[in-house]
Amino acid sequence: MAAITAALVGELRAKTDAPMMECKKALTEAEGDMDKAEEILRVKLGGKASKAASRVTAEGVVAAYIAGGVGALVEVNCETDFVTKNDDFLALANACAKLVAENNPADVAALSALPLDGSTVEATRAALIGRIGENMSIRRFVRFDTTGKLVSYLHGTRIGVMVEFDGAEEQVGKDVAMHIAAMKPVSLSSDQVPADLIEKERSVATLKAAESGKPADIAAKMIEGSVQKFLKEVSLLNQTFVKNDKQTVEQMLKATNTSVKSFTMFVVGEGIEKKQDDFAAEVAATVAAAKQA
């Protein structure tokens, strides 16, 4: 049996990027055989990935890629904010954005099957889960292909915006993207606001009007006024421009001879129910277990 030296462990780690202790255990089990140790790690890391698959991934990053009139926005999730700073995790997200733009996959499954660095996106994801020990998932993406212009804006790594526009000044497009990240409109114009959101707002306004005790005709006007106010607040063109509160976004665009065709905004973890840890209950359970021991 070959001696399990620090150099041997370091060599295996360099080849697999697995944790040092996992490398040492694999080499010990393989009696110093490097090839056998690699195989053991593949099995173990794959097992870790499978165990992690059920854990909620509500953290993560948004990555963007643009080349000419083709661009992509991708959200890749993980379990904790700590992993969002990992270089390999960030590289995976950026690679996914580029692959979406270049290959136009139909869905996440198709993206996962695409080749990446001599393997596939899915195999790369699974190996990364094994090395880091956290679940990771490619949640969603959007691809743009336009004869107009594209611009992206990332607020840190948690909010990503891509805007499709026509106009001479790219800075205007960037300003619109930053505005969207700050004000979070749900649609380009008021007539594009989803019907379910309008009905929800109308329901709330109806309850408030009923509580006011106003006559029916006045209550009806109150309800309609609330709905119209809501539509202006959530549609991009009607919002007050963040860099100039004297004009709306629509007025700013007209003044700069610019038109926005579409946009997409991803906010990491939006809509995902996060696990709420009850620290007090966890401490109580630990104390109880210690007393029973």
Side-chain angles (χ1 to χ4, degrees), residues 148-210:
K149 296 180 179 180
L150 291 174
V151 68
S152 66
Y153 171 70
L154 298 177
H155 187 70
T157 56
R158 293 191 60 83
I159 300 176
V161 177
M162 190 162 289
V163 177
E164 177 188 8
F165 71 102
D166 283 324
E169 299 180 41
E170 186 170 335
Q171 185 58 49
V172 175
K174 291 180 179 179
D175 286 345
V176 171
M178 291 176 67
H179 171 98
I180 292 168
M183 302 307 293
K184 299 179 175 57
V186 300
S187 68
L188 180 59
S189 58
S190 57
D191 59 353
Q192 294 176 358
V193 176
D196 60 328
L197 292 182
I198 297 174
E199 285 307 308
K200 182 177 179 181
E201 185 64 25
R202 191 180 298 278
S203 177
V204 171
T206 300
L207 289 173
K208 288 182 178 179

Side-chain angles (χ1 to χ4, degrees), residues 4-279:
I4 311 303
T5 63
L8 199 62
V9 173
E11 183 182 348
L12 182 58
R13 174 172 169 74
K15 294 177 72 175
T16 64
D17 203 24
M20 292 292 285
M21 287 305 298
E22 293 289 345
C23 290
K24 185 175 181 179
K25 289 177 184 177
L27 282 165
T28 301
E29 186 177 338
E31 298 183 338
D33 186 309
M34 182 66 71
D35 291 336
K36 187 176 180 181
E38 282 190 64
E39 185 62 32
I40 290 170
L41 279 176
R42 277 198 293 270
V43 172
K44 286 187 175 180
L45 294 183
K48 281 188 176 182
S50 298
K51 290 175 183 177
S54 63
R55 300 203 292 265
V56 175
T57 53
E59 298 296 334
V61 299
V62 177
Y65 177 86
I66 295 174
V70 178
L73 206 61
V74 178
E75 179 182 348
V76 181
N77 298 136
C78 54
E79 294 179 51
T80 65
D81 183 63
F82 177 76
V83 172
T84 65
K85 300 171 180 62
N86 179 276
D87 289 341
D88 291 333
F89 179 75
L90 292 170
L92 174 62
N94 288 322
C96 284
K98 184 177 181 182
L99 285 170
V100 168
E102 294 179 343
N103 295 273
N104 193 20
D107 50 29
V108 170
L111 168 59
S112 298
L114 290 174
L116 177 62
D117 297 334
S119 183
T120 65
V121 171
E122 175 56 26
T124 302
R125 182 191 72 89
L128 196 54
I129 291 173
R131 293 202 303 271
I132 295 178
E134 274 199 22
N135 192 18
M136 300 169 195
S137 62
I138 302 168
R139 184 187 183 194
R140 54 183 172 171
F141 64 80
V142 64
R143 182 178 185 270
F144 290 77
D145 190 347
T146 178
T147 56
K149 296 180 179 180
L150 291 174
V151 68
S152 66
Y153 171 70
L154 298 177
H155 187 70
T157 56
R158 293 191 60 83
I159 300 176
V161 177
M162 190 162 289
V163 177
E164 177 188 8
F165 71 102
D166 283 324
E169 299 180 41
E170 186 170 335
Q171 185 58 49
V172 175
K174 291 180 179 179
D175 286 345
V176 171
M178 291 176 67
H179 171 98
I180 292 168
M183 302 307 293
K184 299 179 175 57
V186 300
S187 68
L188 180 59
S189 58
S190 57
D191 59 353
Q192 294 176 358
V193 176
D196 60 328
L197 292 182
I198 297 174
E199 285 307 308
K200 182 177 179 181
E201 185 64 25
R202 191 180 298 278
S203 177
V204 171
T206 300
L207 289 173
K208 288 182 178 179
E211 290 174 355
S212 72
K214 301 289 185 182
D217 58 335
I218 296 177
K221 290 179 181 178
M222 290 172 60
I223 294 168
E224 190 57 31
S226 294
V227 171
Q228 291 304 314
K229 181 172 182 277
F230 169 75
L231 291 174
K232 289 182 179 180
E233 289 174 345
V234 300
S235 55
L236 173 63
L237 296 179
N238 289 308
Q239 288 181 333
T240 300
F241 184 39
V242 291
K243 294 182 73 172
N244 182 355
D245 61 7
K246 304 300 182 191
Q247 60 182 180
T248 64
V249 172
E250 184 173 28
Q251 289 169 338
M252 181 276 291
L253 291 173
K254 285 183 178 179
T256 56
N257 197 28
T258 304
S259 62
V260 173
K261 293 182 173 182
S262 65
F263 72 87
T264 295
M265 178 181 66
F266 286 165
V267 178
V268 168
E270 189 175 43
I272 298 176
E273 185 175 348
K274 296 184 181 182
K275 178 184 176 183
Q276 299 297 320
D277 294 322
D278 189 334
F279 181 71

